[in-house]
Amino acid sequence: MGEKYRILIVEDDEDISMIEQVYLENSGYETQIVRNGKDVAGTMESDSFDLVLLDLMLPGKNGYEVCKEIREKYLIPILMVTAKTDAVDKIRGLNIGADDYITKPFDPAELVARVGANIRQYYRNRSSEDEAAQDEIHIGDICIQRKSRKVYRGDTELRLPNKEFELLLFLAENANIVFSRDQLFEKIWGYDYAGDTATVMVHINRIQEKIEKDCKNPQIIETVWGAGYRLNK
């Protein structure tokens, strides 16, 4: 694998965490396990990680609280692990900043594949942005900075995790063109990503909440019913 990526496993079930650790380390990753939601913030402040594997049912703080806490400071991928199969629970996790989810019981090989896909996508886009010219895209009072991966409304910085930023940037670079959910999913998440196109809708909604003056009547990213989404410029 070359450089070893570091995974923070947040899981209170010892058997499950050991399975995750064994399979990830056998695949070339370094891991650290945290079993209480209250310990995650301190662990992340004292060490660096490339992805967080986050269980939802935790003592101390539940996974939703931990996810929100992580996302306030870090943009690394968050992969939720949950026993819940209800779509509402998955959407709730995506809405507060998770990048992906996997449901228990899971195939350990699929877990490793999901971890790899999220890390590759994260660093692939960071690398391409570092090589790009440092220019800006302006849409009204919204400013998107490619190289720094920052978004501003006027002088106020808007915090967009990596997938939200990539999705907004792609739409901004292809303004006034309608893209279907499938097209956006393929472009931002890629063929090697195991998920579904509902993820696109959730991320679009999160972006609208941040950049639109009235997210109930969006003017920048418009839903074109039956066709997809368009960024108006």
Side-chain angles (χ1 to χ4, degrees):
M1 179 179 290
E3 177 189 358
K4 284 199 172 184
Y5 295 115
R6 305 197 72 246
I7 311 301
L8 179 61
I9 298 172
V10 187
E11 170 63 68
D12 65 314
D13 186 304
E14 185 173 353
D15 291 337
I16 293 176
S17 65
M18 293 305 295
I19 290 172
E20 293 171 342
Q21 184 175 55
V22 167
Y23 273 84
L24 287 169
E25 292 192 352
N26 284 345
S27 298
Y29 297 99
E30 292 182 354
T31 66
Q32 183 170 338
I33 297 173
V34 171
R35 303 198 188 283
N36 191 302
K38 289 184 177 180
D39 297 331
V40 174
T43 302
M44 295 192 68
E45 287 175 4
S46 61
D47 210 339
S48 61
F49 299 93
D50 299 288
L51 180 142
V52 179
L53 191 58
L54 177 63
D55 185 50
L56 289 185
M57 306 303 290
L58 295 167
K61 285 184 180 179
N62 66 45
Y64 298 116
E65 295 174 295
V66 173
C67 181
K68 187 175 180 181
E69 189 175 58
I70 293 171
R71 194 49 83 217
E72 287 174 353
K73 292 185 178 180
Y74 306 96
L75 298 177
I76 61 172
I78 299 173
L79 173 56
M80 296 186 306
V81 183
T82 175
K84 297 183 177 181
T85 57
D86 193 329
V88 173
D89 295 304
K90 298 171 183 176
I91 290 173
R92 180 183 175 190
L94 293 169
N95 269 327
I96 58 178
D99 295 278
D100 192 10
Y101 59 82
I102 188 167
T103 304
K104 300 176 186 176
F106 54 80
D107 179 347
E110 181 188 356
L111 176 69
V112 172
R114 293 279 191 101
V115 167
N118 277 277
I119 289 178
R120 286 193 300 273
Q121 187 69 32
Y122 177 61
Y123 282 104
R124 184 184 303 137
N125 283 281
R126 282 188 59 177
S127 176
S128 64
E129 292 301 329
D130 288 342
E131 295 171 359
Q134 187 174 7
D135 56 349
E136 300 177 344
I137 299 177
H138 292 269
I139 307 156
D141 62 348
I142 300 295
C143 173
I144 305 169
Q145 297 182 348
R146 287 189 178 92
K147 189 172 181 180
S148 65
R149 296 176 67 86
K150 293 183 177 181
V151 179
Y152 291 88
R153 177 190 284 122
D155 295 326
T156 302
E157 182 177 355
L158 308 176
R159 290 190 60 83
L160 273 72
N162 53 302
K163 286 292 193 296
E164 290 179 29
F165 179 85
E166 292 157 14
L167 183 53
L168 175 61
L169 179 61
F170 176 76
L171 289 171
E173 289 178 331
N174 297 275
N176 304 317
I177 300 173
V178 176
F179 292 94
S180 69
R181 284 188 192 177
D182 288 338
Q183 289 173 317
L184 293 173
F185 186 83
E186 176 186 331
K187 176 63 183 177
I188 305 303
W189 282 267
Y191 283 114
D192 59 357
Y193 182 91
D196 57 64
T197 58
T199 301
V200 174
M201 177 188 69
V202 172
H203 281 69
I204 289 286
N205 290 341
R206 279 165 36 186
I207 295 170
Q208 288 174 327
E209 289 173 358
K210 296 174 183 179
I211 69 171
E212 299 283 357
K213 293 180 180 178
D214 179 6
C215 61
K216 293 182 180 180
N217 183 31
Q219 301 298 310
I220 299 174
I221 298 181
E222 181 182 359
T223 300
V224 181
W225 297 109
Y229 300 97
R230 174 179 60 219
L231 185 142
N232 297 313
K233 187 177 179 183

